[in-house]
Amino acid sequence: EVQLVESGGGLVQPGRSLRLSCAASGFTFDDYAMHWVRQAPGKGLEWVSGISWNSGSIGYADSVKGRFTISRDNAKNSLYLQMNSLRAEDTALYYCAKDPHSSGWTPFDYWGQGTLVTVSS
Amino acid sequence: QSALTQPASVSGSPGQSITISCTGTSSDVGSYNLVSWYQQHPGKAPKLMIYEGSKRPSGVSNRFSGSKSGNTASLTISGLQAEDEADYYCCSYAGSSTYVVFGGGTKLTVL
């Protein structure tokens, strides 16, 4: 059974940093691209970033480019999102999502339950 | 404002069919056969319902179907059931600069 478990969310002040993690199990992690998708409270879905199976292809939404860094450790079956210079508008539930391809951008066939990031002073 | 345009809400009675539209541009929906649809119940993670425009993942009911015409994709749910009441989001690949765009979501109410 595919499982994606996010962690690392919390309350953080504007301008500070936070690192999210996603622990994957139930599939061969290094065969697939992975993504972060976020959802602000009461709002819709927004793709944040994606990374190919070997980290050779990485993409970011314009809203986070230059501030967020996606990475993965295939030996640890883990996906990460380093978030710097956080803003109030980054407040959201952050989902880790699996791609059914080794290097692609959509779709997202499995999702975690999310980790909540709140940016506030 | 979302990159893809969906109606905010649609409704239908049990047993009826409804269609949710998703309008993009020639830079996303119109250029790639990579539209996907997600169902999200309150407090739950999204679930993939349709990918590559019209394909259903294993385990998804054949009451769900997808199509595309020009810059507009559509999700049709036939034989509406109470459990179909949820938010639905469309998503498209948008090229090597923008990558991925979502619609704003459509709330489906089963009357």
Side-chain angles (χ1 to χ4, degrees):
Chain A
E1 177 193 6
V2 172
Q3 283 199 318
L4 300 170
V5 180
E6 303 93 337
S7 60
L11 175 63
V12 61
Q13 293 180 328
R16 302 299 291 264
S17 299
L18 208 57
R19 189 194 195 206
L20 305 184
S21 299
C22 171
S25 61
F27 65 102
T28 305
F29 182 71
D30 55 11
D31 276 351
Y32 300 99
M34 297 293 295
H35 302 267
W36 290 99
V37 178
R38 69 184 180 184
Q39 186 169 34
K43 302 297 184 181
L45 301 171
E46 180 188 16
W47 177 81
V48 173
S49 182
I51 185 168
S52 64
W53 69 281
N54 63 351
S55 305
S57 184
I58 288 174
Y60 299 97
D62 286 344
S63 58
V64 306
K65 199 173 297 182
R67 300 188 298 122
F68 289 12
T69 302
I70 191 172
S71 63
R72 63 191 294 161
D73 186 335
N74 287 343
K76 295 183 178 180
N77 288 349
S78 294
L79 176 72
Y80 306 101
L81 186 67
Q82 177 67 43
M83 305 186 295
N84 299 332
S85 303
L86 282 162
R87 306 167 179 167
E89 53 266 35
D90 295 319
T91 293
L93 186 64
Y94 284 73
Y95 291 104
C96 167
K98 173 186 168 292
D99 193 305
H101 308 105
S102 60
S103 57
W105 304 105
T106 65
F108 315 115
D109 58 353
Y110 290 93
W111 299 63
Q113 288 304 306
T115 186
L116 182 63
V117 173
T118 303
V119 184
S120 175
S121 54
Chain B
Q1 186 174 355
S2 301
L4 305 180
T5 301
Q6 298 180 232
S9 63
V10 298
S11 63
S13 299
Q16 287 186 332
S17 295
I18 63 95
T19 296
I20 300 172
S21 61
C22 170
T23 302
T25 69
S26 58
S27 296
D28 39 63
V29 173
S31 286
Y32 308 97
N33 194 27
L34 292 173
V35 173
S36 48
W37 290 89
Y38 302 87
Q39 176 192 64
Q40 187 178 35
H41 287 109
K44 301 295 186 182
K47 176 186 177 183
L48 177 65
M49 305 302 285
I50 295 288
Y51 67 101
E52 293 178 9
S54 61
K55 297 179 180 179
R56 274 188 313 274
S58 173
V60 172
S61 170
N62 59 10
R63 298 186 298 106
F64 291 82
S65 62
S67 62
K68 189 185 87 166
S69 177
N71 296 335
T72 299
S74 298
L75 173 70
T76 297
I77 309 174
S78 59
L80 270 179
Q81 299 179 1
E83 67 207 48
D84 299 331
E85 187 164 290
D87 293 327
Y88 291 85
Y89 294 90
C90 63
C91 175
S92 176
Y93 177 62
S96 58
S97 178
T98 303
Y99 297 104
V100 179
V101 289
F102 276 98
T106 298
K107 181 176 179 59
L108 169 61
T109 300
V110 180
L111 302 171

